[in-house]
Amino acid sequence: MKPSPLQLEWLVYPAASFRARPTDAGIDGAIPVKVTAHVTYHLNAPHSIELSLSSDDDQAPAAPYVFEIEAVAAFTFELAQARAAYSSVPAAALPRVLAVNVARIVYSAARELLATFTARAPYGSVLVESVLIGPEDVKVTSVESQEKVLQELFKLDPTATAKKKATPRRKVKAAERTRRS
């Protein structure tokens, strides 16, 4: 086992609530959830994440609990360790990979808080569905310019990253298309 390149500096829950609904049925499986996450990189660490975990009434309107937890955390990362741990990931994707992984860590902590929080509630500890937080689920921003963050925090050349994205695909000549047919 290796140490993680991501380290939480602190984690707090500015708001947490649950309400048990009157119901004849006990918990029938995991309760669907909604998760939102927002990571902000700062040139001077620590960086921050805000995560919200709530019951999804659209998916389970008769769930025995309604709940919402807000989690806020500060984190740091060791760039060399992160590059080694995620060596299969392109360097330009590292900021998003770190953001997603810290969101997964904070989600797990919020889920466990909810289970503990409801342990003595009428229907026992809440069991929430397992979710896979992906890159599209985490909003990533920075206080300073993105170029400066990429250069100073991640040691990336933002112009090279932009050029790489802007490079058009090679056009296939008509003779090559004919040969492929």
Side-chain angles (χ1 to χ4, degrees), residues 52-121:
S52 172
L53 166 65
S54 60
S55 50
D56 188 346
D57 285 342
D58 295 337
Q59 296 294 317
Y65 292 107
V66 176
F67 54 85
E68 182 171 6
I69 294 180
E70 298 292 327
V72 177
F75 69 97
T76 59
F77 64 89
E78 168 54 47
L79 183 59
Q81 273 185 312
R83 285 194 171 148
Y86 306 111
S87 59
S88 63
V89 173
L94 190 58
R96 183 153 298 278
V97 168
L98 293 177
V100 169
N101 283 328
V102 78
R104 291 172 179 170
I105 292 167
V106 173
Y107 169 77
S108 295
R111 183 186 61 205
E112 290 305 310
L113 175 73
L114 180 62
T116 302
F117 196 37
T118 57
R120 294 188 181 262

Side-chain angles (χ1 to χ4, degrees), residues 7 13 18 22 30 42 46 73 82 93 127 171 180:
Q7 296 297 318
Y13 302 96
F18 80 91
H42 303 272
L127 176 65
K171 293 183 179 179
R180 288 183 186 170

Side-chain angles (χ1 to χ4, degrees), residues 135-174:
E136 66 282 355
D137 301 316
V138 181
K139 181 178 178 185
V140 180
T141 60
S142 59
V143 176
E144 297 83 3
S145 74
Q146 182 180 359
E147 292 79 21
K148 199 167 190 174
V149 167
L150 290 173
Q151 284 174 329
E152 294 187 27
L153 285 181
F154 295 96
K155 309 299 184 226
L156 296 171
D157 179 6
T159 57
T161 306
K163 286 178 190 173
K164 194 173 189 179
K165 285 182 184 176
T167 303
R169 295 178 120 184
R170 185 175 77 84
K171 293 183 179 179
V172 179
K173 294 180 183 174

